[in-house]
Amino acid sequence: MKKVVVGMSGGVDSSVAALLLKKQGYEVIGLFMRNWDSSVNNDILGNPNVSKNICPQEEDYNDAKDVCNKLDIILHRVDFIKEYW
């Protein structure tokens, strides 16, 4: 079985791509790249997109994790906050 890594964003495109590849017989592995964290980068004050004391990237990760759980796909989380900053 061929193996493929899919960058999982928590959105529709990556979720559908993972589903279609899995249906085609690939062993799909999910990868979530954590590039920004509002709390780590002190970007919470004045940021209208931050709600519920959770960074938007964390919400994206939770969405990607939910999709991977439903598709029975392993999801790896890689942290690039320091490099991105």
Side-chain angles (χ1 to χ4, degrees):
M1 178 182 300
K2 291 184 179 181
K3 190 181 297 187
V4 64
V5 176
V6 176
M8 299 298 294
S9 67
V12 174
D13 295 341
S14 59
S15 301
V16 171
L19 173 65
L20 292 175
L21 287 164
K22 188 165 178 158
K23 283 186 174 184
Q24 291 176 18
Y26 288 90
E27 178 184 348
V28 179
I29 298 170
L31 176 68
F32 182 86
M33 292 175 33
R34 187 170 174 243
N35 296 325
W36 188 263
D37 187 319
S38 293
S39 59
V40 170
N41 296 318
N42 199 21
D43 186 35
I44 290 178
L45 296 177
N47 187 340
N49 296 322
V50 175
S51 62
K52 300 176 281 187
N53 293 328
I54 185 170
C55 180
Q57 69 79 25
E58 197 65 26
E59 291 177 354
D60 294 342
Y61 172 70
N62 288 337
D63 291 342
K65 189 167 56 171
D66 288 343
V67 168
C68 286
N69 285 338
K70 288 178 184 172
L71 296 178
D72 195 27
I73 294 172
I74 294 171
L75 179 63
H76 296 279
R77 180 174 169 158
V78 181
D79 192 339
F80 291 110
I81 293 173
K82 183 180 175 184
E83 292 82 359
Y84 192 83
W85 184 251

